């Protein structure tokens, strides 16, 4: 069973935030991650595998201490770590606040693809005007 | 009297196309499909966690998705993981709609290049059926590509290239390489009673508005109106035969797990390049001791994918925002087919897909995984919105040791043996990929990328399942004849990617549909 302070510490170490990017422990991602781990045996096993290689006081360590400890766990349990990282990434980048920051930086819409979609511009035929026609094999 | 004239196993692209065509001629058809209809509300592209869904419970990989209709595939011994969807429309539910045709030389690689085998048919024979498939699916594109034979006008104008595509164009022009807007089975304008695409970009998740040319939208509504009986939730576990070895129908499990029987005058397998050989190997009998129609020993052998590689270009500026459809809006045939002076046979296609969401970008997208910790966001910002991927689709030559067999232990939820894949890249493919990586890097260098990332083989890219019951004129070297009829069983046909003799270097769905429509026309012409 994952202690209550573990998921915030873990995700906050993976995604510590920078500039406008929020630290994961200040979003809803840790709670969603913990909920998922409770329902998903493969994720729960992976979390436990990682935890078994971490010090008992992992959650109360400072950022540098948590990072060092987590690097050690990744080195000895890479497959489990990869699954945990993938799941954590999914929860972090689907947080509304994170999506909003991403939209501001890249233009990628902070909403699901449907139902709104994105305006479909017509094909620009002028791009063919200067095209060098090349017949392959000649 | 049999329950039906024709029994079709599988409601995907090939089963749908064939059922529709037969029903147009008034032939009685029953189609068995282990999955269900996909409703718009089933498709998670309107959920905030849509990207998580795409990587887990709505993944194209059945081993990750694990829906009730799915069967597991033992993929431990293949670097390319099989992707498919089990439901009405089959894998077209999750396809990216890229719709290229084979080139004429793809059908005669033995004659042209001295490798593999020639197909027992030509491009010209198949061309009318390609056209028919295009009309049904709806294809946005532009006729006139000088690298392929002349073809009819596309049914809709091309999809826009977008800022990313224009960057490709600039680079290809500078290099003097071929390029052309891709044929995409997605509506650039309204088509029939289907609306124009709203450019949401999540084509791989299914299209809730019907703007994508899926077999569920394109064929099934008319086929059902014509009287085809489509039974969903029907998991076939045996093609039945009589004492002479002729097909008599099929046994399947219904939703309640009860065994049901359908009798038919002829059976058509349309269950994809893994499902079809699996079912044929499951259908052993005294007359067919090695599996149905397997006197050649080739059922399940010569499995081909397309090894897919990617070269990601990273730019200093944000140029696309990651928006746009998933299918390739632009392609290059510059390195297609065999060319002199290279150390490999056959060739590859370059294509430019567009969409990548933030979760996928954070996972490395088409490139490499990002670091976690203090440097994560800096690396994310270098990639997200600033990168584009050049996808490389390599022709995969048939190798007998690349196989689909029945797993000795793994079973599906009904206790039916699951398929096992054994697949390895041959040296030709490895040399081809190396060549392609260098060319991809060249494109991005010319385009002004500040960095590139090479991915020589994408694992989650095994959508194309081909070759496991191939066609040919010689019964000792093939499973079916040039019309898809089994050499050993005169009333058994195969119409999915299993019948491919070679893979070409392009997405197979248009060719699968064209072959299915051709087989249907043959059945109609020769019926008694």
């Amino acid at each position: 069973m994952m202690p209550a302070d573990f998921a915030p510490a873990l995700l906050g170490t993976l995604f510590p935030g920078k500039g406008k990017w929020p630290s994961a422990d200040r979003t809803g991602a840790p709670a969603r991650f913990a909920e998922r781990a409770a329902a998903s045996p493969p994720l729960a096993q992976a979390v436990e595998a990682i935890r078994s290689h971490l010090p008992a006081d992992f959650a109360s360590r400072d950022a540098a201490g948590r990072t060092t400890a987590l690097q050690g766990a990744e080195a000895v349990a890479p497959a489990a770590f990869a699954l945990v990282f993938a799941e954590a990434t999914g929860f972090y980048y689907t947080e509304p606040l994170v999506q909003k920051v991403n939209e501001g930086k890249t233009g990628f819409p902070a909403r699901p693809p449907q139902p709104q979609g994105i305006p479909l511009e017509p094909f620009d035929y002028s791009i063919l005007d200067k095209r060098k026609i090349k017949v392959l094999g000649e | 009297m049999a329950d039906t004239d024709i029994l079709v196993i599988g409601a995907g692209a090939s089963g749908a196309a064939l059922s529709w065509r037969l029903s147009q001629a008034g032939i009685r058809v029953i189609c068995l499909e282990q999955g269900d209809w996909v409703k718009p509300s089933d498709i998670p592209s309107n959920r905030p966690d849509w990207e998580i869904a795409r990587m887990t419970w709505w993944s194209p990989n059945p081993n990750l998705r694990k829906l009730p209709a799915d069967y597991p595939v033992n993929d431990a011994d293949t670097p390319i993981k099989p992707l498919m969807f089990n439901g009405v429309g089959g894998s077209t539910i999750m396809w990216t709609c890229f719709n290229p045709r084979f080139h004429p030389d793809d059908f005669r690689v033995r004659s042209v290049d001295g490798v593999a085998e020639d197909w027992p048919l030509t491009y010209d024979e198949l061309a009318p059926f390609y056209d028919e498939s295009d009309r049904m699916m709806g294809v946005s594109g532009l006729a006139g590509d000088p690298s392929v034979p002349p073809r009819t006008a596309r049914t809709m104008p091309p999809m826009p290239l977008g800022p990313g595509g224009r960057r490709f164009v600039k680079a290809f022009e500078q290099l003097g390489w071929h390029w052309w807007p891709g044929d995409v089975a997605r509506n650039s304008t309204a088509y029939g009673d289907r609306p124009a695409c709203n450019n949401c970009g999540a084509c791989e998740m299914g299209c809730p508005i019907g703007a994508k040319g899926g077999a569920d939208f394109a064929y099934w509504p008319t086929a059902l109106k014509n009287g085809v009986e489509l039974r969903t939730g029907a998991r076939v576990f045996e093609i039945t035969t009589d004492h002479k070895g002729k097909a008599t129908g099929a046994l399947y499990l219904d939703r309640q797990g009860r065994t049901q029987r359908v009798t038919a005058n002829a059976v058509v397998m349309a269950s994809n390049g893994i499902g079809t050989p699996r079912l044929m190997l499951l259908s052993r009998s005294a007359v067919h001791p090695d599996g149905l129609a397997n006197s050649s020993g080739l059922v399940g052998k010569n499995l081909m994918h397309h090894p897919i590689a990617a070269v990601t270009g990273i730019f200093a500026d944000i140029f696309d925002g990651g928006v746009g459809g998933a299918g390739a809006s632009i392609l290059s045939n510059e390195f297609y087919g065999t060319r002199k002076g290279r150390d490999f046979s056959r060739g590859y296609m370059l294509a430019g897909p567009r969409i990548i969401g933030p979760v996928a970008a954070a996972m490395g997208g088409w490139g490499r995984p990002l670091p976690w910790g203090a440097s994560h966001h800096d690396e994310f910002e270098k990639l997200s919105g600033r990168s584009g991927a050049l996808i490389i689709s390599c022709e995969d030559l048939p190798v007998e040791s690349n196989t689909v067999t029945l797993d000795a232990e793994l079973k599906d939820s009904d206790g039916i043996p699951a398929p096992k894949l054994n697949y390895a890249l041959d040296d030709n493919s490895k040399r081809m990929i190396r060549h392609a990586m260098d060319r991809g890097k060249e494109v991005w260098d010319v385009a002004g990328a500040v960095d590139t990332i090479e991915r020589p083989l994408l694992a989650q890219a095994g959508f194309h399942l081909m070759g496991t019951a191939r066609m040919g004129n010689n019964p000792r070297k093939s499973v079916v004849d040039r019309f898809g009829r089994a050499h050993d069983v005169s009333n058994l046909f195969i119409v999915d990617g299993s019948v491919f003799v070679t893979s070409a270097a392009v997405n197979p769905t248009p060719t699968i549909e064209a072959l299915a429509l051709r087989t249907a026309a043959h059945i109609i012409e020769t019926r008694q």
Side-chain angles (χ1 to χ4, degrees), chain B residues 347-365:
Chain B
Y348 54 89
M349 175 184 62
L350 304 171
R354 293 181 60 188
I355 190 76
I356 182 167
V359 174
M363 299 287 292

Side-chain angles (χ1 to χ4, degrees), chain A residues 10 12-24 32 36 42 66-72 74 81-83 85-87 89-96 98-99 101-102 104-109 111-125 127-128 130-137, chain B residues 45-52 55-56 142 146-147 157-163 165-166 169 173-174 176-181 187-189 196-202 207-209 318 320-324 333-334 336 339 355-359 362-363 370-374 376-378 380-381 384-386:
Chain A
L10 173 69
T13 310
L14 295 173
F15 308 106
K18 184 168 187 179
K20 290 184 177 177
W21 296 104
S23 176
R32 292 164 63 212
R36 166 83 173 152
R66 289 199 310 269
T67 298
T68 303
L70 207 48
Q71 285 169 338
E74 181 183 20
F81 188 88
L83 177 59
F85 181 55
E87 296 271 2
T89 301
F91 289 118
Y92 178 71
Y93 279 98
T94 51
E95 280 293 305
V98 176
Q99 291 186 328
V101 172
N102 185 53
K105 286 179 177 287
T106 69
F108 194 90
R111 55 177 167 77
Q114 292 286 357
Q116 196 172 329
I118 294 165
L120 183 68
E121 67 204 53
F123 182 78
D124 176 11
Y125 286 91
I127 201 163
L128 299 166
K130 295 176 185 172
R131 206 177 158 275
K132 303 177 189 99
I133 299 295
K134 179 176 181 181
V135 179
L136 295 177
Chain B
S45 54
N46 61 353
R47 294 170 52 127
D49 61 351
W50 62 281
E51 282 198 274
I52 296 176
M55 290 189 281
T56 54
L142 187 66
S147 72
M159 298 301 280
L161 299 182
R166 287 195 287 275
V169 169
E173 292 283 1
Q174 240 175 292
W177 291 359
H178 166 270
W179 72 269
W180 199 257
N187 297 352
S188 59
T189 59
C197 169
N198 70 359
N199 207 28
C200 87
C207 184
I209 65 171
I318 289 176
D320 202 359
V323 302
N333 286 327
E334 185 69 26
Y336 201 97
R339 297 277 190 279
I355 190 76
I356 182 167
V359 174
M363 299 287 292
L370 299 187
W372 55 270
H376 175 81
H377 286 111
D378 287 342
F380 179 83
E381 289 192 15
S384 187
R386 290 183 163 84

Side-chain angles (χ1 to χ4, degrees), chain B residues 131 145 164 187 191 226 253 272 276 296 303 327 458 466-467 485:
Chain B
D131 286 345
D145 182 346
N187 297 352
Y191 187 68
N226 289 345
L253 296 169
N272 84 38
T276 285
S296 66
L303 171 67
L458 300 180
M466 302 165 285
R485 185 195 298 267

